[in-house]
Amino acid sequence: MLRFARSLVLGLLLGAIFGLYLGWIQFPSQTRNRNMRDMSQRYRDDYTVMIAAGYALARDLEGAIERLQRLETGDVGDHVQDRTERVIRTSARSLDDIRLLVRLANDMGRLTPAMEPFWDLSGGDP
Amino acid sequence: MTSQVSGISKNDERALGYFSYSVFALSLVAGIALGLSLTRMQGPLRRGNAEPWQLNADDRSHYAIAIALEYAHSGDLATALNKLIALRPAQDPIDALADAACSLAGSGYLRSGGGITAVRSAVALYSAQGRSGCAERLLPLDATDTASAVADEGESDAEIARPQPTKPPLLAGDEEQSVQRVAATPVPLRRFEARAARSFCDTANPALIELHVVDYLGRGIPGQRIRVRFGDQEDVFLSGLKVDRGDSYADFQMEEGIDYAIDMPGAAEALGASLSTGACYSGSRRTLKSWRVTFVET
C-alpha cells in the first residue's frame, strides 16, 4: 500500500510540475485577455511615447494621465519620470520621442536634471 | 505472530521494490494533465512579456487609439499601420481601429476634450484610408479646431479627410469647450418612428424599458437622444452607451404605479400610449413587466 501511495504521490507531483512548466513557460496560452500592465517593457515604453505624442497635440494632461493609468504602474508621474530618464540613459528611442516624454514629464512637474538638456534644446518647448 | 507478518510484508516489499513504475507512470501522466489544466484555467503567468495583440479587447482599443494619437502628431502612416497590424485584429486593421473608436466613443470616452481629440485622431486616420465608423457620428459637432490641428499636424502625403459631423453635440457643455473656426454644415436631423412596443416578462430584468434605435435596415444607431417623461420629471439618455448590448440599445428602469411617455426629442413623436409596469409571471415566478420599444428611422 505504501509502495502504491509513494508512487502515486511522486508521479502526481512530478507530473504537475512538468505540466505547469509546459503550460506557463514552454507553451504559454495565447489568449487575448491580458492587461496593459502585463505588456513587456518595450511596449509599455511605446505606449507611453504614444500618449506623450497625443499630449503634445492636445495638451490634455488629465487625459494623458488617465490613459497612462491603464498601465497600472502606481504613480503616473513616477512612471513618466522613470521612463524618460531610462530612455535618455539608454538612448533607446529617437530624439523626437525623448522630447515628447520630456515635455510630458515637465508638465507633470517631473523635469529632472537629466531631462533639462532636452528641455533647453528648443527653448523650453521641445 | 505480528512481528512475523510484518517481517514477511517487509520482505515482500523489498522483493517488489519500493516503487511501482506502472502507478508512477499513470500518476505522472495524470499530474501533467492536471498541471496543464491549471495553467489553462489560471491563464498565463504575469511576467511582463505580453505583446499588444494579447491585450483584452478594452485595452486593445485604448492601444489602438494611442496609435492614432501618435499618428496625429507625427503623420507617420507606415508606422501607424504597422502598429495596428501588430495588434493582429480579426478583421482589417483599419476597420478594427474604427470599431475601437466607436466602442470608446460610446462608452463615455468623449466626456473630456482629450477623449474627443483622441477619437478625432482615430477618425482622421481611418477616414484617410477610406473607412467610416460610428465614432464620427458620436463626436460633437463642434471642436473643428481640434480636428484641424489633427489634420494640419498629421497630414502627410496621404490626404486626410476631415471627419464631417453628422449630428448635434451630445452634451451641451462640449459646445462651450472649444472655439469654432469653421462653421460646420448641419446635417438634416434624422427622423424616427416608434414601432413595436411589446411587453415581456423577465425575472432577470424586471420593470425595464428596453429601447432600440435602428435605421431602416435594422442597424443600430448609437448616440441618439431618447427621452422618458414621467410625472413632472424627464430623463434624456443616448442609445449605444452600453457597448456590450450593441449600438441600438438603451434602457430605463421603471417603477410601479408610474406612467412613462417615451419620445426622441425633435426626432420622433411620443409613443402612442404611455407605458407602465405591473405584475407578470415568468413560469411560476412573479416579477414585474418590462417593455421593449423600437424606434425605426423613417
Side-chain angles (χ1 to χ4, degrees):
Chain A
M1 188 62 194
L2 187 64
R3 180 170 164 265
F4 175 81
R6 190 186 294 139
S7 308
L8 182 73
V9 169
L10 194 64
L12 277 176
L13 194 68
L14 289 177
I17 291 170
F18 189 55
L20 291 175
Y21 166 79
L22 289 177
W24 273 333
I25 312 291
Q26 195 64 32
F27 307 110
S29 66
Q30 302 288 296
T31 51
R32 292 179 165 225
N33 60 358
R34 307 187 73 176
N35 300 314
M36 278 206 190
R37 65 163 186 262
D38 299 334
M39 282 198 301
S40 66
Q41 189 71 61
R42 174 191 160 195
Y43 293 111
R44 274 187 287 168
D45 284 354
D46 212 19
Y47 181 74
T48 308
V49 170
M50 290 192 285
I51 298 306
Y55 173 70
L57 186 73
R59 296 295 178 115
D60 170 36
L61 193 56
E62 196 182 329
I65 290 170
E66 272 176 20
R67 288 182 198 111
L68 288 172
Q69 279 172 342
R70 300 195 74 82
L71 291 170
E72 297 178 44
T73 51
D75 188 296
V76 171
D78 286 348
H79 167 76
V80 171
Q81 183 182 327
D82 289 348
R83 288 291 157 273
T84 309
E85 288 181 343
R86 200 174 62 78
V87 162
I88 291 170
R89 204 169 49 245
T90 59
S91 303
R93 312 229 22 146
S94 70
L95 182 61
D96 283 344
D97 289 351
I98 293 173
R99 289 165 67 192
L100 289 172
L101 288 170
V102 168
R103 172 185 286 182
L104 181 59
N106 176 71
D107 291 4
M108 284 181 169
R110 298 301 186 120
L111 190 71
T112 62
M115 302 176 201
E116 275 170 5
F118 297 92
W119 181 248
D120 296 336
L121 207 60
S122 45
D125 189 17
Chain B
M1 185 66 181
T2 312
S3 62
Q4 197 178 358
V5 168
S6 130
I8 290 165
S9 157
K10 279 181 183 170
N11 286 339
D12 286 349
E13 194 172 74
R14 266 189 221 107
L16 291 167
Y18 288 100
F19 209 67
S20 165
Y21 289 102
S22 55
V23 173
F24 175 75
L26 285 174
S27 55
L28 189 71
V29 171
I32 291 172
L34 183 73
L36 277 172
S37 307
L38 277 174
T39 61
R40 291 306 179 253
M41 283 189 290
Q42 181 70 25
L45 281 181
R46 189 187 159 187
R47 295 169 59 213
N49 64 349
E51 294 183 20
W53 68 268
Q54 292 177 298
L55 296 174
N56 60 50
D58 192 35
D59 278 353
R60 236 179 311 139
S61 293
H62 280 88
Y63 198 89
I65 291 291
I67 293 169
L69 276 171
E70 188 187 40
Y71 165 75
H73 179 264
S74 69
D76 186 349
L77 185 62
T79 302
L81 287 176
N82 282 337
K83 286 182 177 177
L84 287 172
I85 291 167
L87 285 174
R88 301 189 200 175
Q91 76 238 66
D92 180 280
I94 302 291
D95 287 339
L97 174 66
D99 286 351
C102 181
S103 70
L104 286 178
S107 61
Y109 198 71
L110 300 178
R111 279 191 215 114
S112 70
I116 293 170
T117 307
V119 172
R120 279 199 186 284
S121 306
V123 170
L125 176 49
Y126 69 68
S127 297
Q129 302 304 308
R131 307 300 206 286
S132 62
C134 85
E136 54 263 46
R137 295 202 304 271
L138 291 171
L139 279 167
L141 191 62
D142 57 1
T144 45
D145 54 335
T146 317
S148 304
V150 168
D152 290 345
E153 291 204 30
E155 207 154 13
S156 60
D157 294 336
E159 235 184 278
I160 293 176
R162 290 193 185 140
Q164 294 299 312
T166 58
K167 63 180 288 299
L170 295 179
L171 302 168
D174 292 340
E175 203 170 39
E176 294 161 11
Q177 283 174 8
S178 56
V179 182
Q180 283 202 333
R181 266 171 46 185
V182 181
T185 310
V187 172
L189 201 60
R190 288 173 142 167
R191 297 292 304 174
F192 295 89
E193 188 182 345
R195 287 182 195 164
R198 292 200 176 92
S199 66
F200 63 98
C201 208
D202 183 357
T203 50
N205 296 303
L208 193 74
I209 303 175
E210 272 191 21
L211 296 139
H212 294 271
V213 183
V214 297
D215 66 9
Y216 56 96
L217 290 174
R219 296 173 299 200
I221 307 176
Q224 299 300 311
R225 292 157 64 89
I226 302 164
R227 179 169 58 187
V228 175
R229 286 180 289 179
F230 47 103
D232 56 352
Q233 300 175 57
E234 67 173 40
D235 192 3
V236 178
F237 45 92
L238 302 174
S239 61
L241 295 189
K242 294 194 172 177
V243 180
D244 54 327
R245 302 298 299 267
D247 285 344
S248 68
Y249 185 84
D251 60 30
F252 184 85
Q253 192 66 51
M254 305 165 83
E255 287 177 23
E256 262 188 298
I258 299 177
D259 290 331
Y260 297 89
I262 299 167
D263 67 351
M264 294 177 69
E269 300 297 322
L271 199 64
S274 58
L275 306 178
S276 60
T277 185
C280 69
Y281 288 87
S282 174
S284 59
R285 297 181 65 184
R286 183 185 186 279
T287 184
L288 290 172
K289 184 169 62 181
S290 296
W291 288 90
R292 188 170 289 127
V293 179
T294 305
F295 286 95
V296 182
E297 188 177 18
T298 55

